[in-house]
Amino acid sequence: MSYTIALNFEDGVTRFIGCKEGETVLDAAYRQKVNLPMDCSDGVCGTCKGHCEQGEFDMGDEYLEDALSDEEAAEGQVLTCQMVPSSDCVIQVPVASSLCKTAVGKVEGTVAAVEQLSEDSIELAVDLDDEEGLAFLPGQYIHINVPGTEMHRSYSFSSQPGDKRATFLIRNIPQGVMSGYLTERAAVGDRLTLTGPLGSFYLREVTRPVLMLAGGTGLAPFLSMLEQMVVKGGDAPIHLIYGVNKDDHLVKTAALDAFAKQLPSFTYATVVVDAASEHSRKGYVTHHMDADVMHNGDVDVYLCGPPPMVDAVLKYFDAEGIEPQSFHYEKFTPNQVGERA
């Protein structure tokens, strides 16, 4: 038996390794040429300390408290030289990937389809060369080269990890480098280079209600997360508030309807900013965050959208004194994915 371990480095790079049954994470990483920090490898120095965000494992009792205190262990801190996984795990490694002699991954693919979903949104589908698809954490993003240029743009996956066909929602920006390519030159069969995965915005283990807040093409990572939730199952309440500027900017609602059928605990609401809209919910997502979706703060909040939306939600939470159990957000600009928190 083998488990998949996601190593998230502090520079945003994620590297996936396989860990054999009974093998420590440190040994598995070295076997796959990822040099995680270490000194003693005996649970004495604490150099290999990281944080396990999710997954099951055994730490044994062969390490010193000076290397890992009981309080640290209770908070999810681990020593990778002693940690033996018993499930897939996600581990935060507090150093840059370059210091571990590893780097961001790269995969090649072929344009399978380009569809203009609205004046504002384009869906890109890429068939990956690797038959096993690409490993990533739902919510993460990847760099995609723009054919005919030396530039790349960054987009969140809307497909689920491991799919051979990766999909992305891309905002259609007038005179945008990627938008220009997709609307004017792209053809099925074009070759693309994708670099990643990257980012600390991803779905954590669902142990309580979840509130998702999406703005425009910021819907993409939530589609990936919902795909994963369908696979994993669960009955925690999940609510998505999806905001756009105009009525015809609402896309992928059929997919959301399908998720609602597959996940009985999932509900969603759409919101349109345009005051002239006849939509039943107008304004901003903050106007439609009723108390019942906040669960008295016992909720994990995920937020992805353009900077003004993210800033507005942050100010709203601060003004209302809202402190979710966990809060993960990602800003994006037309040209790149912004810094995450």
Side-chain angles (χ1 to χ4, degrees):
M1 181 177 292
S2 178
Y3 303 109
T4 299
I5 311 300
L7 301 172
N8 291 335
F9 298 92
E10 69 175 9
D11 55 357
V13 172
T14 298
R15 174 73 188 275
F16 289 84
I17 62 171
C19 190
K20 299 176 183 177
E21 189 167 12
E23 186 177 32
T24 67
V25 170
L26 184 67
D27 286 344
Y30 271 72
R31 178 169 54 80
Q32 291 158 86
K33 298 181 173 57
V34 180
N35 294 348
L36 291 179
M38 62 85 69
D39 190 0
C40 70
S41 76
D42 293 319
V44 173
C45 67
T47 302
C48 67
K49 191 180 300 180
H51 180 260
C52 184
E53 285 204 317
Q54 59 191 61
E56 303 294 327
F57 59 90
D58 181 19
M59 279 288 294
D61 55 9
E62 299 297 321
Y63 61 90
L64 298 183
E65 186 172 358
D66 286 347
L68 184 73
S69 69
D70 291 342
E71 291 79 8
E72 289 175 320
E75 293 171 354
Q77 297 290 312
V78 295
L79 300 176
T80 59
C81 74
Q82 302 296 305
M83 177 186 178
V84 177
S86 54
S87 75
D88 295 345
C89 295
V90 178
I91 302 172
Q92 296 287 345
V93 182
V95 297
S97 59
S98 59
L99 297 179
C100 297
K101 297 185 179 180
T102 190
V104 63
K106 187 171 290 187
V107 63
E108 303 291 328
T110 301
V111 173
V114 177
E115 182 180 358
Q116 183 109 24
L117 301 179
S118 72
E119 67 169 4
D120 190 57
S121 303
I122 302 168
E123 183 171 53
L124 170 65
V126 180
D127 284 339
L128 304 174
D129 289 355
D130 190 336
E131 290 294 330
E132 296 183 359
L134 179 67
F136 61 91
L137 299 172
Q140 288 190 308
Y141 67 94
I142 201 163
H143 300 318
I144 304 177
N145 75 296
V146 183
T149 78
E150 298 297 320
M151 293 179 280
H152 70 261
R153 293 294 182 259
S154 304
Y155 301 105
S156 301
F157 293 91
S158 57
S159 50
Q160 67 176 324
D163 282 358
K164 187 179 184 303
R165 176 167 291 187
T167 58
F168 308 89
L169 288 182
I170 296 174
R171 185 180 173 193
N172 186 18
I173 302 168
Q175 300 182 337
V177 174
M178 182 62 84
S179 298
Y181 162 70
L182 292 175
T183 57
E184 298 170 10
R185 307 189 307 278
V188 172
D190 284 357
R191 297 291 293 168
L192 299 177
T193 299
L194 300 87
T195 307
L198 298 155
S200 59
F201 182 77
Y202 55 83
L203 180 67
R204 273 65 175 181
E205 184 177 3
V206 179
T207 59
R208 60 178 63 87
V210 173
L211 174 62
M212 301 172 167
L213 304 173
T217 53
L219 177 66
F222 297 117
L223 296 175
S224 182
M225 292 180 184
L226 289 166
E227 291 274 13
Q228 187 77 351
M229 289 175 173
V230 169
V231 173
K232 295 284 188 180
D235 55 7
I238 304 160
H239 186 65
L240 165 71
I241 306 177
Y242 167 32
V244 297
N245 289 325
K246 299 179 181 179
D247 288 341
D248 60 2
H249 290 182
L250 288 170
V251 300
K252 307 300 288 187
T253 53
L256 296 177
D257 290 337
F259 285 129
K261 292 179 180 179
Q262 295 170 295
L263 289 168
S265 62
F266 171 65
T267 57
Y268 77 95
T270 54
V271 181
V272 177
V273 173
D274 186 3
S277 168
E278 296 184 358
H279 196 276
S280 57
R281 286 173 296 275
K282 289 193 286 291
Y284 299 99
V285 296
T286 51
H287 299 154
H288 301 276
M289 291 168 54
D290 300 330
D292 58 340
V293 303
M294 295 309 303
H295 298 275
N296 294 316
D298 185 30
V299 62
D300 294 333
V301 177
Y302 294 85
L303 164 64
C304 185
M309 175 193 171
V310 173
D311 292 341
V313 172
L314 293 173
K315 290 177 182 178
Y316 175 81
F317 278 4
D318 184 59
E320 297 294 320
I322 296 173
E323 296 184 9
Q325 283 289 333
S326 71
F327 184 27
H328 312 278
Y329 67 89
E330 183 166 68
K331 294 181 181 181
F332 64 80
T333 67
N335 291 335
Q336 63 184 11
V337 177
E339 188 62 30
R340 289 138 296 279

